[in-house]
Amino acid sequence: MIKGNSNRFQIIKVVAEEPESGYIAAYARVSSREQALHTHALEQQLERLKVAGATLIIYEVQKGKKDDRPGLLYTMSLVREKKISEVVVTRLDRLGRTVPLIRKNIAVFQETEVNLRVLDQLIDLKTPQGMFTINLLASLAEMEVDQLSERVRHGKQHSRNQNAACACVPFGYRVEGIDYQLDQVPFLCLLDQRPENYQELSEESDITKLPGITVAQLARNCIDIFLTTKGLSKAVRVISQKYGIGRCHSKKNGNDKIFHWTPAGLKRWLLNAVLQGHTVYNQRRITPTGQRKQNSPEDWDIRLNTHTSDRLLTEQEAEEIKQIIEFNASHLGAALLNYDASNPDTYSPYAYLRSLVYCAECRSKAISKSRESTDRKRRYSYYACRHVHKGCNNLKGTRKELIETAIISHLLQQSVALQSTDLNTPPQPIGSVPTKSEKLQKLEARLSKLEEITDTDPELQGLKQKTRQQIQEELNPFSARALESRSVKEIIQAGNNLVIWHTLSADDRVLIYPRLIDHVTIRNGSVESVVLKD
């Protein structure tokens, strides 16, 4: 006895009691939920199958090119186990839209001697003409799908020639005509900003009277939270605490306007080029079996600056987000981030050392450890070889503060050495406060002359702002903006005094040291070498 059941993928309906000759099973399928809910396609299939004598009906909402449709797999399992005497479908493409898939299923019917009836094409495997007709119609069905795919490709190419926005938009955007635009629709999601009378406002029909922010503002706030927390999971936690986001299974893309993030989803959204003002095509492809696969970024078709007035991210912010995600991905482990609310740094003090420290004995990557002092008043953090007592003779760990001191000392020595080879810059003694460079003096003189001009011309004001930024980059050689344009040699040369290195925050070290250091080797409690990048 086959029992009826239902789930979100397939529905099995028992129409009549099991006859002596076994159930006559029917399989029905529609391609989309819209067809199932807003048309009579599914209803008509079910009625025709019932009239055709089906006593067990299996139906589902799935695309025909997929091989792993649960309803079809279940139907074919009944055929293999000979629990049914016959299968009825309305059209041959219900069994699949590719010749190999249809022939594979037909072979099962032939092996088990379970009959197949196709109503529209008057196919019956019991007749001599059945097999011939099936092969012919399967080929025609595949040709029809190929022609449809070709028409879709031509339509997509026409849209790309116009730099048109894609139908699926990231959260924070909407499509107006063929253009991306920031979504200014109010989004009432204010857990920590709700008014005292929020329960009364729940009955308000005029949305303009309700407090709230727009979808675009909400999206920008998510970006700011990530740039502050510098961690995907941590950002999702803060967003959830602020806006009261619950777990949700229905989110498919930005079009559904459901505000729900997972760390993986937030990562994909932050790295979406649409947020930077660009349009991207060919990010995914459809395989012959109907599955969606991600293309390599080298194969993407990127159209730059298609909606610069509606961007959520600047180029500098996009680069910073990319660096944060790449750093966190390559430096996984406990205590990467700082969770002390009183400490303004996002990263823990020695987070920058992750993936940089190696054992000088066996050349394997060292691991971070900690232990308490004998009086239990202090906790020491150190790096040790992961193969200690397993064949490696590097038995003693090296304290993290000693590694940091060795790195700073090496960088200072390199800075002095670079200065001695630069004829335009006199060498500075280690630990001294550097004098103003010739470039800084020229920039300050230029700004002084520009400030004397009181004209409000926008170009003049822009030149003043640019000069101020250049001065700040010279005064602070380790600012994020300055690091973008400097080589490793220039960064090291700029760090020519002890004060600069010791006043760096934990977040600054994460930004700077991995750019300069290739690796550090340790042996029995001391640093053996510090190797810089080229």
Side-chain angles (χ1 to χ4, degrees):
M1 175 73 179
I2 299 174
K3 300 200 176 187
N5 64 71
S6 65
N7 55 41
R8 59 184 301 195
F9 301 111
Q10 66 186 42
I11 299 177
I12 303 173
K13 182 178 181 181
V14 179
V15 179
E17 292 296 329
E18 182 177 6
E20 294 182 2
S21 58
Y23 278 112
I24 298 176
Y27 172 69
R29 175 188 63 79
V30 290
S31 299
S32 65
R33 186 173 295 274
E34 286 72 25
Q35 282 184 305
L37 298 178
H38 305 301
T39 73
H40 298 289
L42 181 59
E43 181 182 344
Q44 290 172 356
Q45 280 192 60
L46 298 179
E47 184 61 28
R48 291 184 63 195
L49 295 169
K50 186 176 180 181
V51 171
T55 54
L56 174 71
I57 299 178
I58 302 162
Y59 59 97
E60 62 185 342
V61 179
Q62 293 284 341
K63 293 190 179 298
K65 294 176 71 174
K66 293 181 64 176
D67 288 342
D68 57 349
R69 286 175 276 153
L72 180 59
L73 293 177
Y74 180 72
T75 303
M76 297 309 298
S77 69
L78 295 179
V79 175
R80 290 188 183 90
E81 297 170 9
K82 298 183 180 182
K83 290 184 177 180
I84 52 181
S85 60
E86 187 176 50
V87 173
V88 184
V89 294
T90 56
R91 298 206 315 263
L92 187 60
D93 62 5
R94 300 301 93 181
L95 294 179
R97 291 203 175 187
T98 62
V99 173
L101 178 58
I102 293 176
R103 287 178 175 166
K104 173 184 173 183
N105 290 331
I106 293 299
V108 177
F109 283 102
Q110 291 179 310
E111 291 172 4
T112 58
E113 297 183 350
V114 174
N115 190 41
L116 171 67
R117 270 194 295 145
V118 184
L119 302 181
D120 285 355
Q121 289 89 13
L122 301 177
I123 295 174
D124 190 328
L125 285 186
K126 291 180 179 178
T127 65
Q129 298 84 4
M131 194 64 192
F132 171 78
T133 307
I134 280 180
N135 285 329
L136 178 61
L137 292 176
S139 299
L140 291 174
E142 186 173 44
M143 183 179 69
E144 180 184 353
V145 171
D146 291 340
Q147 289 175 339
L148 177 61
S149 299
E150 187 66 22
R151 290 195 295 271
V152 170
R153 281 195 293 270
H154 286 312
K156 287 184 177 180
Q157 188 58 50
H158 176 70
S159 298
R160 293 175 185 181
N161 293 339
Q162 298 178 300
N163 288 338
C166 300
C168 180
V169 297
F171 185 81
Y173 284 89
R174 65 187 182 92
V175 176
E176 185 67 29
I178 63 172
D179 301 319
Y180 286 112
Q181 289 185 1
L182 290 174
D183 193 343
Q184 303 298 345
V185 174
F187 198 104
L188 303 176
C189 185
L190 300 171
L191 185 66
D192 66 345
Q193 301 173 24
R194 64 187 181 188
E196 294 294 334
N197 63 334
Y198 72 94
Q199 290 182 328
E200 300 174 9
L201 293 175
S202 64
E203 305 297 329
E204 180 60 60
S205 58
D206 186 356
I207 195 172
T208 60
K209 296 181 181 180
L210 300 175
I213 58 178
T214 66
V215 175
Q217 290 173 326
L218 182 61
R220 178 62 218 190
N221 187 239
C222 292
I223 294 172
D224 293 333
I225 289 174
F226 175 80
L227 290 173
T228 302
T229 58
K230 293 183 171 60
L232 293 168
S233 297
K234 193 174 181 181
V236 169
R237 188 180 303 112
V238 173
I239 293 170
S240 300
Q241 290 172 349
K242 183 172 184 179
Y243 294 108
I245 309 305
R247 189 168 181 83
C248 173
H249 294 286
S250 60
K251 184 173 177 64
K252 296 296 182 184
N253 51 58
N255 296 346
D256 54 23
K257 302 294 178 65
I258 295 175
F259 185 59
H260 168 71
W261 291 124
T262 62
L266 181 61
K267 175 183 175 180
R268 287 193 300 270
W269 181 73
L270 289 169
L271 297 178
N272 194 321
V274 174
L275 276 62
Q276 305 169 41
H278 313 317
T279 300
V280 185
Y281 304 116
N282 202 37
Q283 293 189 71
R284 301 173 186 85
R285 69 183 187 279
I286 305 296
T287 66
T289 58
Q291 295 177 322
R292 300 178 70 187
K293 296 290 185 180
Q294 192 79 12
N295 282 331
S296 173
E298 294 80 18
D299 298 328
W300 292 0
D301 181 4
I302 303 178
R303 311 292 172 89
L304 301 176
N305 303 320
T306 55
H307 50 282
T308 53
S309 60
D310 288 274
R311 63 173 56 176
L312 280 172
L313 282 174
T314 65
E315 292 183 7
Q316 292 78 16
E317 289 173 332
E319 184 60 30
E320 182 181 354
I321 287 172
K322 181 180 177 182
Q323 291 178 358
I324 291 171
I325 291 176
E326 289 179 350
F327 178 85
N328 292 351
S330 60
H331 297 73
L332 294 174
L336 173 65
L337 300 177
N338 166 49
Y339 291 92
D340 183 1
S342 62
N343 190 333
D345 286 334
T346 301
Y347 290 101
S348 59
Y350 298 103
Y352 69 93
L353 287 176
R354 291 172 180 264
S355 300
L356 294 180
V357 185
Y358 288 78
C359 172
E361 178 76 20
C362 67
R363 301 297 176 182
S364 63
K365 187 179 294 185
I367 57 175
S368 176
K369 294 185 176 183
S370 64
R371 63 175 179 84
E372 289 184 341
S373 60
T374 53
D375 56 6
R376 297 191 175 182
K377 293 182 178 181
R378 290 192 61 187
R379 176 166 288 276
Y380 299 103
S381 297
Y382 60 97
Y383 272 95
C385 178
R386 64 178 62 246
H387 299 304
V388 63
H389 302 305
K390 297 178 183 179
C392 182
N393 295 322
N394 190 358
L395 305 180
K396 187 178 179 181
T398 305
R399 299 257 292 274
K400 292 181 179 179
E401 56 264 33
L402 294 179
I403 298 175
E404 183 172 86
T405 300
I407 289 173
I408 293 176
S409 176
H410 185 78
L411 290 172
L412 280 172
Q413 292 174 7
Q414 293 299 312
S415 179
V416 172
L418 289 172
Q419 287 184 29
S420 64
T421 59
D422 189 346
L423 300 179
N424 298 321
T425 305
Q428 300 286 332
I430 293 178
S432 66
V433 178
T435 59
K436 291 183 179 181
S437 65
E438 182 179 351
K439 181 179 179 180
L440 179 58
Q441 293 176 20
K442 288 181 178 179
L443 288 171
E444 289 179 339
R446 182 195 300 173
L447 181 61
S448 179
K449 292 180 179 179
L450 291 173
E451 295 288 5
E452 294 175 1
I453 305 173
T454 58
D455 193 347
T456 58
D457 179 62
E459 292 186 4
L460 177 64
Q461 296 301 321
L463 184 58
K464 288 181 181 179
Q465 182 61 27
K466 181 179 178 181
T467 306
R468 294 191 191 101
Q469 290 178 350
Q470 290 174 331
I471 291 174
Q472 288 300 317
E473 291 174 12
E474 283 296 311
L475 291 173
N476 182 11
F478 296 150
S479 67
R481 192 178 184 90
L483 289 173
E484 291 177 7
S485 58
R486 292 177 183 265
S487 65
V488 172
K489 179 180 176 181
E490 290 172 334
I491 297 172
I492 294 175
Q493 191 169 359
N496 55 5
N497 72 89
L498 197 61
V499 177
I500 290 179
W501 298 104
H502 279 291
T503 54
L504 291 176
S505 66
D507 290 355
D508 291 335
R509 291 186 173 97
V510 167
L511 185 65
I512 297 167
Y513 285 154
R515 278 202 62 184
L516 306 179
I517 301 169
D518 185 77
H519 65 273
V520 178
T521 59
I522 57 173
R523 189 193 299 270
N524 290 324
S526 61
V527 176
E528 185 168 286
S529 66
V530 178
V531 180
L532 303 180
K533 292 184 176 179
D534 297 332

